Amino acid sequence: MDKKYIPQLGDTISRLGYGCMRFPTNEDGSMNYDEAEKLIRKGYEMGINYFDTAVVYHKGDSEKVLSRALKDYDRSTYYLADKMSLGVVNSEEEVHKLFYQQLDNFHTDYIDYYLVHALNRNNWKKAKEMKTVEFLQEMKRQGKIRHLGFSFHDTEPILKEIISEYDWDFTQIQLNYLDWKAMHADRLYQVLVDHNLPCMVMEPVRGGYLANLNETCNAKLNALDPNASIASWAVRFVSSLDNVAVVLSGMSSEEQLMDNCATFSAFNPLSEKELAVISDVTDEMLKLNDIPCTGCRYCMDCPKGVDIPAIFSIYAQWKVFGKAERFVNGYEGAINNGYSATNCVKCGLCAKKCPQMIDIPNQLARVHQFYLEEKAKLDAAKADV
Ligand code: SF4
Ligand code: SF4
């Protein structure tokens, strides 16, 4: 397993990290402890030394099985990453209690990488109300946390706001070659580079979506190397980026684990030619999106608070990935947070500033109409069940 020294952290981390959220399950949906434990131990034996979990993964069973699987190994030979999941705590006391419970769960005095989990504009507000970061900084001063960071799911301005308010050691973002262009993940990555924050990568294969593309795209990648799996291009893409410290993969089978370990056993960054083919494959997939927003934000700020690039990004995600439910949920998040297309009064200020010449007010109205239609379909499907 190839390992990488991260100077800002002083740690040497395996390029592949074990994301402990997708272990094999039983028929009733509960985690299969024995299978999960076998996978973790196999991963460790293959050289993985970074294990990322959270109390909400597998309803708490992920932390438990990870603790059980790692108990026989020397504590100094692996890095444990755990999180303050804001969905399960509602007060300062509960934040403190969960953290100490996690130390207990792992029978350890310290957690190497501790993250405030899944920050977005809502969670960030909640984290601040509960003085979460102040408490975790104190835990770091006491040596109970070695490195403090956060995982992130929102837009560039929110990322900059969070980074500017506290001293962080690292950040975890969703990064893969499709999001690089479709969701403007390149900008999030650049913010981390600018702030010298090592980047932990989640969703390198986009929840499995980039493990098997359409026929044309698969053929383009197979022409580069018929022996390489389609997923391996995705993990190589992110690990080739200089500021990436570790690539987390939620491996649910030995086959996936072995494929990833093979990719990282003697890591080979992508060549210029390979990068060009991946860019071409991404463009092929992005053709499915008909609003050519690049996320440049020249159209902002809208006087009515519409986050135009965020709305177009939610729409692009639907067109490219075809997940209607995610589109509806994402758009409802925008409504609840006051930045959806419903606020638009069609003043036209934004459209004058758009280098892509997008007819923004009408495209926003169109996205809103799609939302209403898709929501109606989902509601009807639920009523049928
Ligand atoms: S047209 Fe709509 S989105 Fe654009 S600036 Fe005016 S109110 Fe905001
Ligand atoms: S100016 Fe145009 S391309 Fe840029 S973010 Fe706004 S809508 Fe997208």
Side-chain angles (χ1 to χ4, degrees), residues 67-84:
S67 171
R68 192 165 95 179
L70 294 175
K71 73 178 186 319
D72 296 335
Y73 303 126
D74 181 340
R75 178 68 182 85
S76 66
T77 60
Y78 61 85
Y79 302 118
L80 184 59
D82 205 351
K83 309 191 185 79
M84 181 55 60

Side-chain angles (χ1 to χ4, degrees), residues 302-304 306 308 344-350 361 364:
C302 157
K304 295 295 174 190
V306 181
I308 301 162
C344 176
V345 294
K346 297 205 168 188
C347 70
L349 284 175
C350 53
L364 285 173

Side-chain angles (χ1 to χ4, degrees), residues 11-292:
D11 287 342
T12 300
I13 307 179
S14 52
R15 280 182 181 269
L16 174 65
Y18 213 123
C20 300
M21 79 296 278
R22 289 198 190 102
F23 287 130
T25 51
N26 300 309
E27 274 180 17
D28 63 0
S30 62
M31 192 191 71
N32 184 322
Y33 258 86
D34 291 344
E35 289 300 313
E37 186 173 351
K38 264 192 236 156
L39 283 171
I40 296 165
R41 293 175 80 90
K42 182 87 183 170
Y44 178 89
E45 280 149 25
M46 297 294 291
I48 294 176
N49 69 1
Y50 191 100
F51 296 86
D52 172 273
T53 185
V55 67
V56 291
Y57 297 165
H58 291 288
K59 300 183 177 155
D61 285 341
S62 170
E63 284 183 349
K64 287 181 195 145
V65 76
L66 188 57
S67 171
R68 192 165 95 179
L70 294 175
K71 73 178 186 319
D72 296 335
Y73 303 126
D74 181 340
R75 178 68 182 85
S76 66
T77 60
Y78 61 85
Y79 302 118
L80 184 59
D82 205 351
K83 309 191 185 79
M84 181 55 60
S85 300
L86 297 164
V88 298
V89 285
N90 290 304
S91 65
E92 281 182 56
E93 292 68 37
E94 287 180 14
V95 166
H96 303 185
K97 198 173 154 205
L98 174 57
F99 179 76
Y100 282 106
Q101 181 63 53
Q102 288 169 318
L103 287 180
D104 267 6
N105 286 349
F106 283 101
H107 315 289
T108 184
D109 299 330
Y110 67 95
I111 292 173
D112 301 273
Y113 289 82
Y114 200 82
L115 302 92
V116 187
H117 196 180
L119 284 184
N120 56 23
R121 45 190 107 198
N122 275 348
N123 282 344
W124 182 227
K125 197 163 153 256
K126 185 173 179 186
K128 287 208 284 191
E129 283 164 5
M130 297 190 299
K131 297 192 173 50
T132 309
V133 185
E134 286 78 358
F135 168 71
L136 296 176
Q137 283 176 329
E138 178 54 30
M139 293 299 97
K140 189 178 161 191
R141 271 190 290 278
Q142 292 182 18
K144 295 182 174 73
I145 290 174
R146 289 185 56 238
H147 305 292
L148 180 59
F150 62 95
S151 60
F152 182 77
H153 296 272
D154 211 316
T155 54
E156 187 184 350
I158 307 292
L159 178 62
K160 285 181 175 164
E161 183 186 322
I162 295 170
I163 289 175
S164 70
E165 290 191 34
Y166 293 94
D167 275 337
W168 301 99
D169 300 319
F170 69 99
T171 304
Q172 186 163 308
I173 59 171
Q174 176 169 322
L175 202 62
N176 52 66
Y177 62 76
L178 190 54
D179 284 327
W180 189 257
K181 285 187 179 180
M183 303 294 289
H184 319 305
D186 56 337
R187 291 169 200 279
L188 303 185
Y189 175 77
Q190 190 55 45
V191 171
L192 303 191
V193 171
D194 294 344
H195 289 83
N196 197 28
L197 282 170
C199 174
M200 278 50 181
V201 169
M202 55 185 160
E203 300 292 0
V205 192
R206 249 277 174 189
Y209 184 88
L210 299 179
N212 189 13
L213 312 175
N214 63 31
E215 219 176 290
T216 316
C217 295
N218 280 347
K220 285 183 184 189
L221 292 175
N222 285 333
L224 281 174
D225 179 354
N227 296 318
S229 69
I230 299 299
S232 70
W233 297 104
V235 288
R236 279 180 67 206
F237 173 83
V238 281
S239 202
S240 297
L241 296 163
D242 285 344
N243 192 43
V244 166
V246 64
V247 177
L248 299 170
S249 181
M251 295 163 283
S252 356
S253 67
E254 189 163 332
E255 189 190 350
Q256 286 169 4
L257 173 63
M258 298 314 281
D259 184 41
N260 278 337
C261 286
T263 304
F264 286 110
S265 64
F267 183 70
N268 185 14
L270 290 177
S271 66
E272 288 298 319
K273 182 182 164 205
E274 289 168 333
L275 275 171
V277 173
I278 284 182
S279 178
D280 183 28
V281 161
T282 310
D283 290 341
E284 190 74 40
M285 294 161 83
L286 290 178
K287 277 186 202 154
L288 300 166
N289 176 25
D290 54 2
I291 302 180

